[in-house]
Every structure is written in C-alpha cells, then in structure tokens.
Amino acid sequence: MKWLLLSCCCCCCCCRLSSMRSSIAVLVAVLVCCSFVSSSGNRNHHHHGVHSAFLPRSSSHVLYNALRGGSRTSVMEQDDTDTDTDTDNSGMTEEEVAARQIRLVALEKYHMEQQILLTLRSTFLSEVLAQRGIPIATMMDVSTIDGNKPPEPTDWDCALSTEQDPKTCLYSFDAEPNSKVVAPLGTTQYISLSALNRLRRTDRSKVEPMWHSKYAILSSWFSDASEYSLLQHAGIQGFFVSTLLLDTMGLRLLLAVGVMVALLITLPVWEILVQRILTSSYFWNQWTTWGRIAHAALPMKLLLGQMAWKFLAQSFASLETYVRDIVVDYECTLLEQTIPITIFNNDQLQEQEEDDDDEEIQYSEDEECDEYE
C-alpha cells in the first residue's frame, strides 16, 4: 500500500512538471521496483521458512547452550524443545521426519565438536599467557596435587638378613643370607644393598620406581651433596670407584692406555711372532688365497679395513663391559663391608654387646700396659 501511494504521488508530480509520456515511464519504473521489492520479501520469507525447517527451536536451544556449556541445559528447556519438535513434525511423512532427525543429530554433533575445539584453543592460549607472566588459570590449577608431588628425600635403615631372621627384597623377593638390606627410614620395604647398587649402575631409571617414585633414592643415598649419602661410609676407595664408574670416558681412556701399555710391554713378543709368520712356508703356500686381497682394488681394501675396525671396536666394548662388571662387583663388596647396620635383632644385639665388652677389655689392658711401662 505504501509503495502504491508513493507511485501515485510521483505520477502527479511528473504530470505537473513534464509531459504525459515521461510520467508514464516513471510510473512503469516505480511499479517494477515495487514488484522487485515484494518478490525479494517473499524470497526472504521462503528462506526463513527453510531455515526454520532445518533449524527448529531445538537446534537454536542447542546452539545457545553449546556457547555457554552443555552441562547448563535446563530440563524445562528440553521439555519445551521436545514439545515444539512434535508440533513441527505434524503433517510430515516418516521419511521426512527421519531425514530431519538425521540433520538435527549431525548439527548437534557439529556444535559439540566446535565447543570442544573452542575449549582446547582457550586452554592453549591460557598456557601461553601464563608463561608470559599474565596471572591466569592454567592446567596446573585444576590438576591433582598428589600426581605432581616430587619424590621426597629420605634417610635409610640397614639390616642384616640371616637364616634366623630373613629379610624380603623388592628386587629378588628374598635377600641372600648374611647380606645387608636397606630401606627408607621407618619402612620395611627392604632391598639388597648389592642389588640396589647393581641396578643403579645398569639402569638408573628403575631405582626409584621400586618404591613407586615416592622417595628420591638416587639424590638422597648416592649423592655427595646429601646428608643421607651411603658413599660417605665407603671412604677414599669408594670415592675413586664411584668416580671411575660415573665417568664413562675416563674408564674408556684408562682401558685404552692399559691396552697400549700392554702392547708396548709385549712388543718384542709380537715382533718375533709376526716375523715367524711372514717367513713361514705355510703362509707363502697360501699365496693364491691372500694374494687376491693384497692386489684388490682400493674400495675392497677400504671395506676390509672397515670390517677390521668394527671387529676391534666390538672387542673393546666387550672388554669395557667385562671390566665395568668387575668394578661394580668390587663396589658392591665395599658397600657391604662399610655400611653400618642400624637395625639389630636380639641375637645381633647380644653379639654387638659382647664385641663391645671385648673391645673395652682390650682397651683397658692396653692402658695398663702403658702405665706399667
């Protein structure tokens, strides 16, 4: 109606200002514009209906709730949505209803995936901002405290496993008789001292998990900076042995120097042996065999040299492993001899008291002898 009145006004103005032909042209143009506007309005209304068919009230509720968290959806909104859905499904065939439900499920899945991605992006940005010094909540603020608790330093107790009083071992179930076992202070989770030291030298990553990573065993018992260190009882011998085993390059250097010294000492023997081989008839009778190698091309000689170098390297590595095992066994024996026992049973207490009495008697006799002299 508004467009019709507007067209009439335009026509009147044109009739007064210009001729009848121009007014008719203007009227036609206005009518075309009115028809275009009405058709576009109908098309928009049609699109709105299609959008409503694909996105009913249930989907709009899903979108709104997805932005503020799916756990905040109320029961009343869900009931209203179900009622509206049932009303909208009236007059539709079963195939159309099924297709609509499939589209709704796909749309809800898409909204949920977008919500998850939004949460992940916000978490990532929070971590980055926290690293730059901005006070903002991170994953550490919502994580479990016990899971991130570092191992605590602890003191140790040492006991002697005997046939009358056997001790359990975390590594081998039962400790060997007359061997020392250690455990964190105030616990009975014993492990053989030798087994603990060998495990420390072979695979350090398996030491603390023996106690479920509750105690800092390596930094407490085998560190020079710790007041609970076991190595402080080993003396100067334990210091040198520990330094030699920790420094892998030092051990290899000592082995290389030892091999070179042995070769230099036995050099006259090797000279005589090589001279006898080179001048022997058996060696020259095999000319047809090793002559081909002597006159082979350079790549063949390089390949043979590489194979010889690998053989020497493997032999040296085997020698290093053998020597290292010997040094570890010596370190275990040294710890067994020097680590004091802190937990005694009744028999051991009696033996300890008898030993103390004998030492006092011997000390008093020595003092008497000194006074007499």
Side-chain angles (χ1 to χ4, degrees):
M1 190 66 183
K2 293 181 180 180
W3 289 104
L4 182 59
L5 294 175
L6 181 61
S7 61
C8 292
C9 293
C10 292
C11 290
C12 293
C13 294
C14 291
C15 290
R16 293 181 180 180
L17 297 177
S18 61
S19 62
M20 184 61 68
R21 184 177 298 175
S22 60
S23 62
I24 294 173
V26 172
L27 179 60
V28 172
V30 171
L31 292 176
V32 171
C33 293
C34 292
S35 62
F36 176 76
V37 171
S38 61
S39 63
S40 61
N42 294 330
R43 186 163 54 250
N44 292 334
H45 180 71
H46 175 70
H47 284 305
H48 179 71
V50 173
H51 181 71
S52 298
F54 284 94
L55 296 175
R57 281 187 67 182
S58 61
S59 63
S60 63
H61 282 294
V62 171
L63 177 59
Y64 175 72
N65 291 323
L67 294 177
R68 62 189 181 91
S71 60
R72 299 178 182 272
T73 306
S74 62
V75 179
M76 295 179 62
E77 292 177 353
Q78 185 66 30
D79 295 338
D80 295 339
T81 303
D82 296 338
T83 304
D84 296 338
T85 304
D86 296 336
T87 305
D88 295 338
N89 289 339
S90 60
M92 299 175 63
T93 62
E94 294 182 357
E95 296 180 355
E96 293 177 349
V97 172
R100 184 180 181 182
Q101 293 296 331
I102 292 173
R103 288 194 296 269
L104 289 177
V105 171
L107 185 61
E108 292 179 359
K109 181 180 179 182
Y110 171 75
H111 288 159
M112 183 60 67
E113 291 177 354
Q114 294 300 316
Q115 178 66 21
I116 294 173
L117 291 176
L118 181 61
T119 305
L120 292 176
R121 290 191 187 99
S122 61
T123 304
F124 177 75
L125 291 176
S126 300
E127 296 290 339
V128 174
L129 293 176
Q131 291 177 359
R132 297 187 178 183
I134 298 176
I136 191 171
T138 60
M139 292 293 294
M140 295 294 295
D141 298 329
V142 296
S143 58
T144 305
I145 300 178
D146 295 337
N148 296 330
K149 187 177 181 180
E152 58 183 11
T154 180
D155 201 351
W156 50 270
D157 277 330
C158 182
L160 183 65
S161 177
T162 59
E163 295 181 355
Q164 293 78 14
D165 186 18
K167 302 293 183 182
T168 60
C169 179
L170 296 176
Y171 189 76
S172 59
F173 299 104
D174 293 325
E176 297 181 359
N178 300 324
S179 63
K180 293 181 179 179
V181 292
V182 291
L185 184 64
T187 65
T188 57
Q189 299 174 352
Y190 291 104
I191 186 173
S192 175
L193 186 59
S194 300
L196 176 62
N197 188 64
R198 287 193 182 92
L199 186 62
R200 176 176 73 102
R201 293 304 184 185
T202 55
D203 192 354
R204 296 172 62 91
S205 62
K206 296 181 180 179
V207 174
E208 293 182 356
M210 299 293 292
W211 290 270
H212 305 286
S213 299
K214 185 179 180 180
Y215 305 105
I217 302 298
L218 294 175
S219 59
S220 299
W221 296 358
F222 299 100
S223 176
D224 296 333
S226 176
E227 59 180 342
Y228 310 125
S229 178
L230 294 170
L231 303 178
Q232 61 184 340
H233 301 282
I236 191 66
Q237 295 180 357
F239 172 76
F240 282 115
V241 171
S242 178
T243 304
L244 181 63
L245 291 175
L246 287 177
D247 191 0
T248 306
M249 295 302 298
L251 180 61
R252 292 177 181 176
L253 181 61
L254 288 178
L255 286 177
V257 171
V259 171
M260 294 298 295
V261 170
L263 289 176
L264 290 176
I265 293 175
T266 59
L267 184 59
V269 178
W270 292 108
E271 289 180 352
I272 295 173
L273 183 62
V274 171
Q275 184 178 4
R276 289 294 180 88
I277 292 175
L278 293 178
T279 57
S280 64
S281 59
Y282 177 80
F283 178 77
W284 289 103
N285 289 332
Q286 303 295 326
W287 163 257
T288 56
T289 302
W290 59 265
R292 299 176 183 178
I293 300 175
H295 296 284
L298 180 60
M300 184 64 181
K301 293 181 180 179
L302 292 176
L303 179 61
L304 293 175
Q306 183 181 6
M307 294 175 60
W309 172 257
K310 287 183 178 180
F311 175 76
L312 292 177
Q314 291 177 358
S315 300
F316 186 81
S318 301
L319 178 62
E320 180 186 359
T321 303
Y322 177 74
V323 174
R324 186 181 180 84
D325 292 340
I326 293 177
V327 178
V328 169
D329 291 339
Y330 176 74
E331 185 182 28
C332 294
T333 304
L334 186 63
L335 291 175
E336 286 278 351
Q337 295 175 355
T338 56
I339 299 301
I341 298 176
T342 58
I343 298 178
F344 298 93
N345 54 22
N346 295 329
D347 296 337
Q348 293 173 353
L349 286 175
Q350 293 179 358
E351 293 179 359
Q352 185 70 21
E353 291 176 357
E354 292 177 357
D355 293 338
D356 293 340
D357 294 339
D358 294 339
E359 289 180 358
E360 290 179 358
I361 294 172
Q362 184 68 28
Y363 181 73
S364 60
E365 291 179 354
D366 293 339
E367 285 184 349
E368 292 178 358
C369 292
D370 294 336
E371 291 177 358
Y372 181 77
E373 291 177 357

